[in-house]
Amino acid sequence: MKKNNGSRLFLTELMFSIFFFTVIAAVCVQLFAYSYDMSKSARQSTDVVNAASNAAEYFLGSNDAGDFTTYYDKEWQECSDYGTYKVTGIVSEENHLETMSITVSRMDDESVMYAISVKKATKEAH
């Protein structure tokens, strides 16, 4: 009669443990990659809204704001030449009301990422 010393059971348990931890590690790596993508997307959305908000605040706070186009690089630093992103403001006036339409878009495909319209009353000429 052959005596089993438990090594077969130990190896089976060890293989099961390795398989289990491999599956869990793969799931964790996918979750970390997904959360990184979400974080990157949220950061970009925040930068887009901040750029449009800054332009709107400047328009509301100044008396001589006109049409403009501002270029930003991929790190959202203002640059003089064509960058990665473009913020455009167009001012129109009607019935003592100035309106600025602000759009934030990508330079590569001109897709609008964010758009906002801001209005302010102008002083009536006497």
Tab-separated table of all heavy atoms in Angstrom, residues 84 105-113:
chain	number	residue	atom	x	y	z
A	84	THR	N	-2.438	73.263	-28.588
A	84	THR	CA	-3.294	72.084	-28.612
A	84	THR	C	-4.760	72.469	-28.496
A	84	THR	O	-5.621	71.822	-29.091
A	84	THR	CB	-2.904	71.145	-27.451
A	84	THR	OG1	-1.508	70.872	-27.528
A	84	THR	CG2	-3.657	69.839	-27.526
A	105	SER	N	-12.080	74.659	-27.927
A	105	SER	CA	-12.010	73.558	-28.886
A	105	SER	C	-10.584	73.038	-29.012
A	105	SER	O	-9.632	73.688	-28.590
A	105	SER	CB	-12.523	74.013	-30.249
A	105	SER	OG	-11.756	75.094	-30.728
A	106	ARG	N	-10.486	71.867	-29.595
A	106	ARG	CA	-9.180	71.278	-29.900
A	106	ARG	C	-8.701	71.848	-31.236
A	106	ARG	O	-9.491	72.121	-32.119
A	106	ARG	CB	-9.277	69.771	-30.047
A	106	ARG	CG	-9.624	69.046	-28.793
A	106	ARG	CD	-9.688	67.540	-29.118
A	106	ARG	NE	-10.263	66.802	-28.026
A	106	ARG	CZ	-9.573	66.342	-26.996
A	106	ARG	NH1	-8.286	66.535	-26.946
A	106	ARG	NH2	-10.164	65.684	-26.035
A	107	MET	N	-7.411	71.975	-31.370
A	107	MET	CA	-6.860	72.496	-32.616
A	107	MET	C	-6.826	71.434	-33.711
A	107	MET	O	-6.975	71.760	-34.877
A	107	MET	CB	-5.445	73.036	-32.388
A	107	MET	CG	-5.391	74.298	-31.569
A	107	MET	SD	-6.211	75.684	-32.347
A	107	MET	CE	-5.175	75.912	-33.761
A	108	ASP	N	-6.670	70.175	-33.350
A	108	ASP	CA	-6.487	69.145	-34.367
A	108	ASP	C	-7.752	68.852	-35.164
A	108	ASP	O	-7.718	68.699	-36.372
A	108	ASP	CB	-5.924	67.859	-33.758
A	108	ASP	CG	-6.756	67.339	-32.602
A	108	ASP	OD1	-7.758	67.971	-32.241
A	108	ASP	OD2	-6.395	66.274	-32.062
A	109	ASP	N	-8.905	68.809	-34.505
A	109	ASP	CA	-10.131	68.478	-35.234
A	109	ASP	C	-11.221	69.538	-35.087
A	109	ASP	O	-12.330	69.340	-35.579
A	109	ASP	CB	-10.658	67.111	-34.812
A	109	ASP	CG	-11.004	67.050	-33.330
A	109	ASP	OD1	-10.825	68.066	-32.626
A	109	ASP	OD2	-11.447	65.990	-32.880
A	110	GLU	N	-10.901	70.642	-34.423
A	110	GLU	CA	-11.841	71.752	-34.246
A	110	GLU	C	-13.139	71.344	-33.555
A	110	GLU	O	-14.160	72.005	-33.712
A	110	GLU	CB	-12.161	72.423	-35.591
A	110	GLU	CG	-10.987	73.133	-36.215
A	110	GLU	CD	-10.558	74.385	-35.463
A	110	GLU	OE1	-11.416	75.074	-34.909
A	110	GLU	OE2	-9.351	74.640	-35.436
A	111	SER	N	-13.143	70.252	-32.823
A	111	SER	CA	-14.349	69.853	-32.099
A	111	SER	C	-14.519	70.734	-30.863
A	111	SER	O	-13.565	71.010	-30.147
A	111	SER	CB	-14.276	68.383	-31.688
A	111	SER	OG	-13.203	68.178	-30.786
A	112	VAL	N	-15.735	71.192	-30.656
A	112	VAL	CA	-16.025	72.065	-29.515
A	112	VAL	C	-16.108	71.205	-28.261
A	112	VAL	O	-16.875	70.253	-28.195
A	112	VAL	CB	-17.338	72.837	-29.734
A	112	VAL	CG1	-17.708	73.624	-28.495
A	112	VAL	CG2	-17.218	73.750	-30.939
A	113	MET	N	-15.294	71.560	-27.288
A	113	MET	CA	-15.269	70.826	-26.029
A	113	MET	C	-16.206	71.456	-24.999
A	113	MET	O	-16.741	70.768	-24.146
A	113	MET	CB	-13.839	70.786	-25.489
A	113	MET	CG	-12.854	70.138	-26.431
A	113	MET	SD	-11.156	70.323	-25.887
A	113	MET	CE	-11.135	69.262	-24.473
